[in-house]
């Protein structure tokens, strides 16, 4: 149990948005609509479904248009080309107007039936409810294994608490969606960004189903670039590797240089030229790694600056409404 920053509207007045990015999902879309409509109608509150077409090559967009024509609660956003899952999801979040916004995959691997439970936790005061998969069926051993390994590597490389084994299926409070909107970075690793914004977050365990229809839209190439976005977006460790290597190589080089001098000056057991060559190679190797590391440290900081993430986010204010308005008018925060 946690306390909501702002009181949650009662059930009849809660606006619920569901956002689903779709890329070539025509086979599954009618089933998605049917299952979501059943679940959302059962909530007894106004809702909207924001479908984003991420430049599909099949009939996805045509289906979305038809759905929107039949049901005003269904909104369709068609992107001009394929921008990738994370950007499509961002576009959907930007168009959602609900008090609580749920991001879901269009392939029904994320069960819509979990939504009422997510909303209950949100009502209890949680700002983010992420769905954590306990099992994944219908996926290759390779995908399962690489995904598990990835989340663990990422966790060890970053200070941001990114929960293990969670996808993008999650409920977010309006405040969190607005906060995400303040993060203009282009290489978006949404699940990391949602962790980064903070607020009160909790998990909900579920069993991930098989894809309802079609094939995965994440071939190995996309998965790798996604993993890189995750690591580079939330960790400077790879950039700092050269610094650490540089320190250790320099220490070893110093010891080796002592040994070379000992062999040459005291033992006289070496051929001419060997000592000077060894000293030069060891010394330069250490210096180079150290300076590359130094450059890496600066690049890391430049990366941080150009990302333009807000310095901090406020979850709640008390007795500050008037002052805050004045500040806002003055162009601050
Ligand atoms: N998706 C998208 N754009 C893309 C790739 C995927 O909008 O370029 C959508 C896709 O339609 C699905 C979701 O992102 O709703 C997750 O993709 P997928 O199910 O293929 O990934 P997997 O579950 O295999 O990791
Ligand atoms: Mg999927």
């Amino acid at each position: 149990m946690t306390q909501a920053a702002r009181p949650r509207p009662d059930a009849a007045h809660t606006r619920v948005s569901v956002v689903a990015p779709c890329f070539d999902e025509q086979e599954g879309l009618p089933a998605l609509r049917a299952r979501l409509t059943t679940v959302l109608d059962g909530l007894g509150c106004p809702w909207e479904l924001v479908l984003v077409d991420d430049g599909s090559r099949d009939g996805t967009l045509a289906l979305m248009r038809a759905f929107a024509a039949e049901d005003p609660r269904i909104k369709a956003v068609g992107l001009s080309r394929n921008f990738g899952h994370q950007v499509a999801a961002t576009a959907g979040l930007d168009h959602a107007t609900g008090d609580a916004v749920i991001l879901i995959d269009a392939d029904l691997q994320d069960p819509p039936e979990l939504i009422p439970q997510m909303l209950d936790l949100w009502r209890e005061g949680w700002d983010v409810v992420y769905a954590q998969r306990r099992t994944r069926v219908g996926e290759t051993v390779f995908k399962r294994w690489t995904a598990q390994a990835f989340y663990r590597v990422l966790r060890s490389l970053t200070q941001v608490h990114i929960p293990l084994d969670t996808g993008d299926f999650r409920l977010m409070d309006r405040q969190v969606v607005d906060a995400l909107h303040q993060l203009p970075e282009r290489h978006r690793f949404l699940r990391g960004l949602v962790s980064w914004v903070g607020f009160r977050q909790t998990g909900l365990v579920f069993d991930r189903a098989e894809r309802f229809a079609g094939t995965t839209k994440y071939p190995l190439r996309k998965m790798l670039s996604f993993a890189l976005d995750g690591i580079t977006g939330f960790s400077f460790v790879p950039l700092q590797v050269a610094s650490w290597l540089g320190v250790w190589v320099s220490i070893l080089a110093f010891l080796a240089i002592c040994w070379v001098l000992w062999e040459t000056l005291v033992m006289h057991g070496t051929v001419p030229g060997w000592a000077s060559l060894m000293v030069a190679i060891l010394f330069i190797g250490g210096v180079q790694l150290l300076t590359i590391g130094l450059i890496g440290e600066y690049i890391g900081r430049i990366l941080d600056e150009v990302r333009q993430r807000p310095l901090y986010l406020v979850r709640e204010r008390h007795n500050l409404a008037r002052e805050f308005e004045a500040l806002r008018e003055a162009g601050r925060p």
Side-chain angles (χ1 to χ4, degrees), residues 263-279:
E263 282 289 318
T264 310
L265 300 177
V266 182
M267 307 301 283
H268 299 291
T270 60
V271 280
W274 180 78
S276 48
L277 262 180
M278 281 307 284
V279 168

Side-chain angles (χ1 to χ4, degrees), residues 105 107 109 208 211:
D105 278 0
D107 59 0
Q109 279 195 290
R208 190 160 160 96
R211 215 172 207 291

Side-chain angles (χ1 to χ4, degrees), residues 86-323:
Q86 301 289 297
V87 176
T90 305
L93 293 178
D94 289 347
H95 285 83
T97 58
D99 304 303
V101 181
I102 294 137
L103 183 59
I104 195 168
D105 278 0
D107 59 0
L108 285 171
Q109 279 195 290
D110 305 328
E113 290 72 23
L114 219 59
I115 291 176
Q117 268 170 281
M118 290 176 149
L119 277 165
D120 286 344
L121 286 167
W122 173 73
R123 287 227 165 74
E124 282 179 17
W126 298 100
D127 300 310
V128 174
V129 183
Y130 51 83
Q132 205 157 19
R133 21 185 199 238
R134 181 168 43 197
T135 56
R136 323 167 53 126
V137 287
E139 288 178 318
T140 59
V141 176
F142 177 75
K143 173 133 188 173
R144 275 207 306 263
W145 192 83
T146 47
Q148 273 187 6
F150 167 68
Y151 286 110
R152 280 152 187 85
V153 169
L154 182 60
R155 161 165 289 196
S156 66
L157 291 182
T158 174
Q159 315 287 334
V160 180
H161 175 79
I162 300 175
L164 295 174
D165 306 323
T166 53
D168 286 313
F169 184 28
R170 61 191 66 214
L171 177 147
M172 288 169 269
D173 180 62
R174 165 72 12 217
Q175 264 191 309
V176 174
V177 178
D178 289 345
L180 280 181
H181 194 69
Q182 292 184 47
L183 307 180
E185 59 201 77
R186 316 189 69 78
H187 288 266
R188 298 182 82 79
F189 182 72
L190 264 183
R191 49 198 84 165
L193 293 179
V194 175
S195 301
W196 184 90
V197 299
F199 297 91
R200 304 288 183 274
Q201 314 215 357
T202 189
L204 186 60
V205 173
F206 80 113
D207 298 304
R208 190 160 160 96
E210 247 174 286
R211 215 172 207 291
F212 177 77
T215 51
T216 176
K217 308 300 181 297
Y218 265 100
L220 187 62
R221 180 179 48 79
K222 270 195 196 171
M223 243 161 59
L224 277 176
S225 101
F226 183 60
L228 267 180
D229 279 344
I231 291 172
T232 55
F234 295 93
S235 171
F236 291 143
V237 173
L239 272 175
Q240 291 164 335
V241 165
S243 305
W244 284 108
L245 264 180
V247 169
W248 286 108
V249 168
S250 296
I251 292 172
L252 285 179
F254 175 73
L255 294 177
I257 287 168
C258 293
W259 172 70
V260 166
L261 290 178
W262 171 264
E263 282 289 318
T264 310
L265 300 177
V266 182
M267 307 301 283
H268 299 291
T270 60
V271 280
W274 180 78
S276 48
L277 262 180
M278 281 307 284
V279 168
I281 290 173
L282 291 169
F283 178 73
I284 289 178
V287 167
Q288 272 177 341
L289 274 172
L290 262 180
T291 45
I292 290 175
L294 199 65
I295 293 173
E297 296 288 340
Y298 278 92
I299 291 181
R301 283 160 180 75
I302 294 172
L303 202 61
D304 223 14
E305 296 293 337
V306 296
R307 268 206 280 259
Q308 293 279 315
R309 285 185 194 163
L311 216 48
Y312 59 85
L313 294 161
V314 175
R315 182 166 180 264
E316 47 192 289
R317 291 189 171 81
H318 302 282
N319 287 342
L320 270 170
R322 254 187 306 135
E323 289 85 343

